[in-house]
Amino acid sequence: MLKVISIVWNSFKMALQELKNNKLRTFLSLFGITIGIFCIIGVLATVESLQTKVQGDLKSLGTNTIYIDKYSYANHGPDFPWWKFLKRPYVKYHEMQAIKARSSLSSAICYTIRANGNLEYSDNVLNGISSYGVTEEYNKVLTINIDYGRYISESEFRQSAPVLLIGYANAENLFGAAERALGQEVKFQGRNLRVVGVIKKQGKSMVDAWQFDDCIIMPYKQMSAMFIVENSRPTIMVKGRENISTAALLDELRGIMRSIHRLSPMQEDDFSLNDINMFTEQTNSIFGSINLGGWAIAGLSLIVGAFGVANIMFVTVRERTGQIGLKKAIGAKSSTIMTEFLLESAFLCLLGGLIGLVLVFILTKLLSTVMPFPINISLNTLTLAISICMVVGVLAGIIPASIAAKMNPVVAIRMK
């Protein structure tokens, strides 16, 4: 054990000595490693942080949730006949009730409409506020966290009470402080509504979904009296039960909807079942392509860096030929000589990688101040960076180390 520690320590000291004696040569040779690690870790950290943010935002659309709409949310390309969607009937409130009565695989179902309007309090007016009219189980399909007050009660839904939930940003803009909104009466589309709850602050979203900070939520029947339902993007949202596959839920909903619309077996669907998991798969594919591009760029830099480190090790072997001969003459094994040079090469690469990591850390701090999400370097990413440096170092030093290990001690001493 002591022998191994001695070899590692000697290799580390030799790597530092090489850097100290030939600063410019070593720096230029390690620059490729630095750039390679900078590219890989920079891309991985940014994409990983972005992916975490996007996937978190997608969860705001619901998990294991199907959106029933006349429109399809998938990207079908420029040649898709959009006129077919325009001719479809919009989903109706009574269809939501029928699904609730017939579905055995769903845990929660709600009907929603959305529109924009002006929200007023005293002399303050917020223009173009997103408003959602929802039914009772909306908070069971999506997670609605309330910071102040409460959620709309079942009796308020049944009686179409003039109440609403207000987004955190809207509450701050209208009342100065979010907590002041609770219990206040505001005017929306000419109707007086009482604030019963303030939605917890969500922050900026990468996915233009519900944007709860900048919205208001009220009972569906209350909002349906203000807007034309057909023109208010009506949607039925169905959340599947636990341990129920999305495919099974889709099959059940398709059968129920076709039955409600009385479609014959030969007729195509006149509705869309939009699986939210589809967006997660699409984003994973995009992020995978971005990561691949980062690896390609970094791979070229690492190859250049590996040749640079190999060049350093070839020169080092030549400079230490006499020393190698003396070590072998007093009993040092070839494996020990080879291990020392491989470790020295790995330490040099690790040094270049650490410089790259420092640059990435500085970059992440700068980008986090301007990006709508924080960029973090995960432990897995750090482990990957260190592993890459060690592997590149060993590969770069294996030929020079083999040459050193195979030297004849007598010849090596004469060449001193």
Side-chain angles (χ1 to χ4, degrees), residues 34 87 140 147 190 200 202 251 285 323 328 334-335 348:
T34 299
K87 291 175 64 177
K140 295 180 181 178
D147 219 357
K200 188 174 182 179
Q202 308 290 309
D251 287 342
S285 175
Q323 188 182 105
K328 297 195 77 174
S334 296
S335 60
L348 286 172

Side-chain angles (χ1 to χ4, degrees), residues 323-344:
Q323 188 182 105
I324 294 168
L326 288 173
K327 284 184 177 181
K328 297 195 77 174
I330 59 176
K333 296 180 180 179
S334 296
S335 60
T336 303
I337 301 295
M338 188 169 185
T339 301
E340 285 183 352
F341 278 96
L342 286 177
L343 286 173
E344 183 176 346

Side-chain angles (χ1 to χ4, degrees), residues 212-284:
F212 286 126
D213 285 347
D214 303 301
C215 78
I216 57 174
I217 299 174
M218 67 185 76
Y220 160 72
K221 293 179 180 177
Q222 181 68 230
M223 186 168 165
S224 64
M226 304 179 191
F227 299 93
I228 300 172
V229 173
E230 183 177 355
N231 299 329
S232 302
R233 299 172 62 186
T235 307
I236 298 173
M237 300 164 57
V238 183
K239 182 180 179 66
R241 284 170 26 205
E242 288 187 13
N243 303 321
I244 295 298
S245 69
T246 303
L249 182 61
L250 284 168
D251 287 342
E252 183 190 58
L253 293 176
R254 178 168 284 108
I256 295 173
M257 286 298 294
R258 288 184 66 85
S259 173
I260 293 172
H261 288 195
R262 298 185 178 182
L263 299 175
S264 68
M266 299 302 294
Q267 288 180 290
E268 64 180 16
D269 294 343
D270 60 354
F271 56 87
S272 292
L273 302 177
N274 298 290
D275 179 12
I276 297 306
N277 294 329
M278 167 187 65
F279 296 111
T280 302
E281 293 172 1
Q282 289 176 349
T283 55
N284 287 339

